[in-house]
Amino acid sequence: MTYRLLGHPQPLRCAGIDCKYRKPKNKAERRQRKRRHPPKLAKSPSMASTAAVPFWRSAGMTYISYSNICANIVRNCLKEPHKSDALAREKVHFTVTKWSEGKPEKPTTRSDDPDV
Amino acid sequence: MAMAALRREGRRFAGSITAPRPMPAIRSALISDEQVPLGVRSISTQIVRNRMKSVRNIQKITKAMKMVAASKLRAIQTRAENSRGLWQPFTALLGDTPGVEVKKNVIVTISSDKGLCGGINSTSVKISRAIHKLTSGPEKEVKYVILGEKAKAQLMRDSKKDIELCITELQKNPLNYTQVAVLADDILKNVEFDALRIVFNKFQSVVAFLPTMSTVLSPEVVEREAEAGGTLGALDSYEIEGGETKGEILQNLAEFQFSCVMFNAVLENACSEQGARMSAMDSSSRNAGDMLDRLTIFYNRTRQASITTELIEIISGASALEG
């Protein structure tokens, strides 16, 4: 599973959970689009306070995945040959087996390798 | 004149045959299933020669493995030492409190996938079991997250129901932060914890590895400890910029701390693994060399004994003809 942005040609400015970049088809949709994004001051279940939760937290990401995506963006900004060197440094491959009640379940492999 | 010389030498060799045979144990061990009587020549030297050949091959292989481990160690050692700077600011800020009292402990045991690396995996498992005993009690829950095949094999034997996750094939690509971060993310999403105890072998030098435990607390526990005072209580003296609250910052920090500590732990364990493999293969080649020396001595003695027997036969045959 590679960390790529969700196909956004624009930077992560609007990040409602189901925001797909497409032109609104008619006036009704254009009007609806303005109301589609959830308000920024949404409460996330993990926070007790009513302060603003960052968009990635409300989307279910942890800080780690957020920083990984940002790092991927920075790496993609490099020029060759440094770019391929840097991208070679973020290959992921491991196998996870979840255990329940003392029995292993089916293992899942998370990999950037195209053959796996 | 030649016969006289031979006769003299025959007497000398005859003396050596009646000398007590040294190392009868090796002889019987080698040829116990053959029942070769004393004096039959070619079969026993063939066996010993085969044995010597295989021991020599093993010695070459272990020497090569030692070289490979040494080169891998050199590559990964600088990275491990540089990664120490990742978690040191966290310890300076949040402190390291191994004695914290929490309800849910998760022990992350880091081990290798491949064997032949000495005793480092056994020490990690021993320490994990000890921590499990220490932190379990009434209303407390302790679970394992295992990285690497070797610890999985050992912990599966008696702690099957305490295992939460098993992760293998980590070292297929060279270790990098992204991989460990994805792994840490997986652990955070799948496992509930109040405190994480990461058990690994810290790399001190090529021959010394220190089994270490690092503690990472969840943000709620950090808040609780901050109220109690100590290093964490000093957090309130920091000013927070931006629109985030202290709770949010603590959550981000805790997640990032876990990721950094895991990265360092995985690198140090990999270093220790290569170092341990180097010393294991080195002692193995030395043992193979010793074995080869003993076998060579035994082979020569057997060979000389057979030559002596032939000479005696010739001489006794010659003297029978004469006399």
Side-chain angles (χ1 to χ4, degrees):
Chain A
M1 178 170 115
T2 54
Y3 276 93
R4 287 197 213 286
L5 301 177
L6 307 163
H8 261 272
Q10 289 183 351
L12 278 167
R13 217 184 309 128
C14 62
I17 299 177
D18 55 349
C19 166
K20 293 269 188 293
Y21 183 70
R22 59 167 217 270
K23 282 203 167 117
K25 289 203 181 102
N26 46 32
K27 194 169 185 180
E29 216 167 273
R30 240 179 289 147
R31 216 182 302 132
Q32 196 194 35
R33 190 193 190 193
K34 288 205 177 116
R35 283 188 244 128
R36 223 162 53 143
H37 304 297
K40 275 250 163 154
L41 290 176
K43 270 198 199 177
S44 124
S46 57
M47 309 306 300
S49 58
T50 51
V53 181
F55 57 89
W56 42 269
R57 182 71 71 179
S58 55
M61 286 205 282
T62 55
Y63 180 73
I64 301 178
S65 26
Y66 171 59
S67 62
N68 263 347
I69 296 182
C70 296
N72 184 294
I73 298 175
V74 172
R75 284 191 193 109
N76 278 317
C77 296
L78 293 171
K79 286 195 210 172
E80 297 292 342
H82 303 285
K83 181 170 178 181
S84 38
D85 288 342
L87 287 179
R89 263 183 286 153
E90 48 165 34
K91 292 247 175 337
V92 172
H93 178 97
F94 59 90
T95 314
V96 183
T97 316
K98 224 171 137 33
W99 281 53
S100 58
E101 325 268 331
K103 285 206 182 10
E105 299 169 4
K106 197 161 182 326
T108 44
T109 309
R110 300 177 52 127
S111 174
D112 275 350
D113 255 342
D115 353 297
V116 177
Chain B
M1 187 163 111
M3 287 316 293
L6 270 174
R7 218 176 295 139
R8 251 180 281 131
E9 288 190 24
R11 245 176 269 131
R12 236 183 288 143
F13 281 123
S16 77
I17 278 206
T18 53
R21 281 217 166 277
M23 290 202 270
I26 294 188
R27 192 182 172 83
S28 55
L30 278 180
I31 337 177
S32 54
D33 48 349
E34 303 273 336
Q35 301 307 318
V36 178
L38 213 65
V40 179
R41 310 170 243 299
S42 44
I43 299 181
S44 50
T45 57
Q46 182 66 28
I47 296 174
V48 182
R49 233 179 318 157
N50 286 340
R51 194 100 195 256
M52 277 166 59
K53 196 167 77 166
S54 61
V55 172
R56 209 175 289 129
N57 285 339
I58 290 179
Q59 190 185 33
K60 282 191 198 149
I61 291 174
T62 51
K63 265 205 189 122
M65 286 183 75
K66 178 189 164 190
M67 294 290 130
V68 166
S71 67
K72 285 195 179 158
L73 177 69
R74 235 175 297 135
I76 212 175
Q77 189 175 349
T78 33
R79 298 184 63 205
E81 282 169 7
N82 290 338
S83 78
R84 285 180 191 161
L86 268 180
W87 56 260
Q88 277 157 359
F90 279 109
T91 314
L93 179 68
L94 297 172
D96 193 10
T97 48
V100 67
E101 282 286 321
V102 282
K103 290 223 166 42
K104 289 207 185 118
N105 277 299
V106 172
I107 304 177
V108 183
T109 311
I110 304 189
S111 69
S112 60
D113 275 345
K114 301 201 180 124
L116 292 180
C117 51
I120 51 167
N121 294 323
S122 311
T123 35
S124 285
V125 168
K126 208 166 49 173
I127 302 258
S128 313
R129 289 209 180 112
I131 295 176
H132 182 97
K133 240 193 211 160
L134 271 176
T135 51
S136 55
E139 302 183 354
K140 288 199 197 164
E141 210 185 290
V142 194
K143 293 268 172 199
Y144 287 111
V145 169
I146 306 178
L147 267 79
E149 289 276 356
K150 296 288 157 189
K152 178 171 110 175
Q154 290 191 29
L155 281 174
M156 237 170 51
R157 261 186 273 142
D158 57 352
S159 318
K160 256 188 158 161
K161 40 186 183 44
D162 288 330
I163 302 181
E164 212 35 73
L165 276 181
C166 260
I167 294 137
T168 53
E169 291 186 36
L170 200 59
Q171 297 217 32
K172 191 163 177 223
N173 300 326
L175 289 168
N176 52 34
Y177 178 74
T178 315
Q179 182 170 18
V180 178
V182 174
L183 182 62
D185 197 30
D186 262 359
I187 296 180
L188 280 176
K189 290 212 171 112
N190 285 325
V191 179
E192 283 184 14
F193 63 93
D194 283 336
L196 281 161
R197 318 250 178 199
I198 306 174
V199 176
F200 60 101
N201 289 86
K202 192 168 166 151
F203 182 76
Q204 260 188 329
S205 75
V206 182
V207 293
F209 326 106
L210 219 53
T212 323
M213 174 183 88
S214 295
T215 314
V216 175
L217 305 169
S218 72
E220 294 91 19
V221 179
V222 173
E223 293 230 39
R224 194 188 77 193
E225 294 290 316
E227 275 141 42
T231 332
L232 288 171
L235 274 179
D236 278 328
S237 53
Y238 285 93
E239 209 183 281
I240 302 180
E241 264 183 38
E244 295 175 330
T245 61
K246 181 173 160 210
E248 238 176 71
I249 291 198
L250 275 182
Q251 193 169 15
N252 293 347
L253 277 180
E255 290 172 358
F256 194 43
Q257 182 189 17
F258 177 44
S259 172
C260 293
V261 171
M262 274 291 282
F263 181 55
N264 179 62
V266 169
L267 276 179
E268 301 254 4
N269 202 59
C271 254
S272 311
E273 178 199 337
Q274 299 299 339
R277 188 167 291 135
M278 246 180 82
S279 49
M281 292 295 108
D282 183 45
S283 65
S284 164
S285 345
R286 208 175 312 124
N287 287 343
D290 287 345
M291 206 170 184
L292 204 55
D293 288 340
R294 279 205 318 269
L295 280 173
T296 312
I297 289 177
F298 177 63
Y299 174 70
N300 284 333
R301 209 175 273 122
T302 320
R303 188 176 51 89
Q304 287 165 357
S306 69
I307 292 174
T308 308
T309 323
E310 280 202 53
L311 277 171
I312 288 182
E313 285 179 8
I314 295 171
I315 292 169
S316 48
S319 63
L321 278 175
E322 269 185 30

